[in-house]
Amino acid sequence: MMQSFWSRVRNLFARWPLILAFGAMANVATASTPDNRQIEEQFFTALQTMTTGAPQAAIPPLLAILSHNPDLVRVRLELARAYFLAEQWSLAREQFFIVLSGDIPAPVRANVLAFLRAIDNRRSVDWDFDISLTEAGDLRSYDTDEVTINLGGASFPATVDRTGSSGIALRLRTALEARVPTQTDLGGLGALSTFGRVEVVSLDAAHSEFDDATLSARAGLRATGASSTTTLSPYLSRRFLAGSAYESRIGLSLSSEYRFDDGAFLSVALGFARIDTLQNDRLDGHETQFDLRYVRSVQARSYWGVGFSIKDTALDAPTESTIARRLTVFGAFDGTRALRLEPSVFIGDERHRAQSPLFVDSEDERTVGAGLRIEYTDPSRFGGFAPYASIAVERNTSDMRANSYREQSIALGMVRRF
């Protein structure tokens, strides 16, 4: 039998060295709130630091102010500018986006949109790094192991063989991206730039049979206009399971993002990939995916969004071919004590193009789930890294009860912030 969820939580935390970092995070979060005089001193020190050509040094005091006063729009605007000058592009983009929902003058709003456009059309080299401890293996608690099979028109009971084992794993995600603007102007589409990106996502488990790694690379063109960015990108990837090459993909994606001056973003993406499953030719095929997202910043301190996706996976084995849909509502809310909450909920379903004649019941599935990530947003305390904890729960139901399950997962990690 699998351990209960809370038993796994206790065991995981008992064996997790990173909990020491979260103890320190808790101590920092309970520090006294600075008074107005201290805030003014920190703010003007940060501004002076930026004028002397050291924007990186201005980031910690600005973050410290916002950790206790997340509603200060001017401070968040200067933080976005400091990230921009320090070439921390993704963080600058996020902060400028949040600022748009604040009460700012029209010329400032126009400047913020200009900064967003400049971020998307720039010469730069960026890298991301995220490392966490989590669990790997069979984390699902199934409703039953019993299944009814169909043999020659007669129904017979059978038992699904499940290992039920799991273990601690180290998850790593790191990426390197380079962008180079060109001298080409596409008129209404905007200025043209090129980019290349390499990404590695790996799960290194205590039991090697749970090891999972994906190496991907993409390059493409990006057209940045006054209020939109369009990207065309071919890509390829290879996935390794338990140390052996499992799957290769080659594909093409086209996406467009539209920015509005009230702090709303709308993005549309379409992707196509050819799948080559190296260990099972029946799982070769192709996949088409459509994504639609609407995100809006709120009160210059947070944002919420809704996303809808459809994924059509057509494989050589019809019974393994599926159409999956998912609707997700998500958000990010900056609170006091330098804590950010990122909740999400989703509903989805997966329909098989053809039902297996081996089983009596349908394998189609319906899923609901929720997650919460908590991040300490003052990375100056941890050498430029921000500690976080996340928890996710999921409930999957199917007419075939052996496919119905509950799943929970937790993670503790550190992500590079500057």
Side-chain angles (χ1 to χ4, degrees), residues 134-368:
T134 185
E135 286 184 288
D138 189 356
L139 307 180
R140 297 173 176 177
S141 178
Y142 287 92
D143 290 2
T144 181
D145 292 334
E146 303 302 319
V147 64
T148 303
I149 61 175
N150 176 27
L151 294 177
S155 299
F156 296 92
T159 302
V160 179
D161 183 19
R162 308 190 200 274
T163 61
S165 61
S166 63
I168 302 298
L170 181 69
R171 184 181 184 276
L172 171 68
R173 185 189 69 81
T174 185
L176 179 68
E177 180 172 323
R179 300 189 184 193
V180 179
T182 71
Q183 302 300 317
T184 304
D185 191 330
L186 300 179
L189 289 177
L192 186 67
S193 61
T194 63
F195 73 93
R197 179 180 177 89
V198 178
E199 183 173 25
V200 176
V201 179
S202 67
L203 191 70
D204 187 7
H207 304 289
S208 59
E209 64 267 28
F210 300 142
D211 288 352
D212 190 347
T214 300
L215 173 64
S216 60
R218 67 172 61 232
L221 301 173
R222 181 171 285 119
T224 305
S227 59
S228 66
T229 298
T230 301
T231 303
L232 179 65
S233 173
Y235 67 92
L236 56 89
S237 69
R238 174 160 287 201
R239 185 181 181 189
F240 299 84
L241 294 180
S244 299
Y246 172 74
E247 177 189 274
S248 292
R249 294 188 178 214
I250 182 169
L252 181 69
S253 65
L254 174 65
S255 63
S256 291
E257 177 189 82
Y258 303 92
R259 301 179 289 272
F260 303 91
D261 60 7
D262 61 351
F265 281 22
L266 176 68
S267 62
V268 182
L270 181 64
F272 176 85
R274 174 64 190 175
I275 304 171
D276 180 15
T277 306
L278 306 176
Q279 299 179 8
N280 188 344
D281 291 342
R282 295 178 66 251
L283 300 182
D284 291 347
H286 62 269
E287 185 173 275
T288 305
Q289 183 162 340
F290 170 80
D291 291 281
L292 178 67
R293 285 166 60 94
Y294 175 84
V295 186
R296 184 182 182 89
S297 60
V298 181
Q299 297 180 343
R301 64 179 292 180
S302 58
Y303 64 83
W304 65 269
V306 58
F308 176 71
S309 67
I310 300 178
K311 183 169 63 175
D312 184 352
T313 305
L315 305 179
D316 292 346
T319 57
E320 301 296 331
S321 300
T322 60
I323 298 177
R325 301 175 298 177
R326 176 170 291 201
L327 178 68
T328 306
V329 178
F330 57 91
F333 307 93
D334 287 340
T336 58
R337 308 298 182 185
L339 295 179
R340 163 173 283 199
L341 304 180
E342 298 181 3
S344 63
V345 295
F346 74 88
I347 58 173
D349 62 19
E350 183 177 78
R351 179 171 59 85
H352 289 254
R353 287 184 173 274
Q355 298 297 324
S356 172
L358 180 63
F359 301 114
V360 173
D361 299 316
S362 169
E363 296 181 88
D364 293 347
E365 301 175 355
R366 300 160 297 281
T367 309
V368 297

Side-chain angles (χ1 to χ4, degrees), residues 5 42 55 93 104-105 114 119 123 139 178 213 216 225 243 266 322 362 418:
F5 172 57
Q42 286 179 306
R93 199 177 200 276
I104 56 178
I119 288 171
R123 180 185 298 273
L139 307 180
S216 60
L266 176 68
T322 60
S362 169
F418 73 80

Side-chain angles (χ1 to χ4, degrees), residues 4-63:
S4 70
F5 172 57
W6 291 112
S7 296
R8 294 188 1 243
V9 171
R10 288 193 295 270
N11 292 341
L12 186 59
F13 273 63
R15 299 171 59 184
W16 217 323
L18 282 181
I19 193 62
L20 298 176
F22 279 83
M25 182 180 74
N27 290 334
V28 171
T30 58
S32 59
T33 303
D35 57 29
N36 290 337
R37 182 180 58 82
Q38 290 175 307
I39 291 175
E40 290 179 0
E41 290 179 354
Q42 286 179 306
F43 181 65
F44 287 112
T45 298
L47 291 183
Q48 185 177 9
T49 301
M50 278 196 284
T51 60
T52 59
Q56 193 87 4
I59 295 172
L62 294 172
L63 283 170

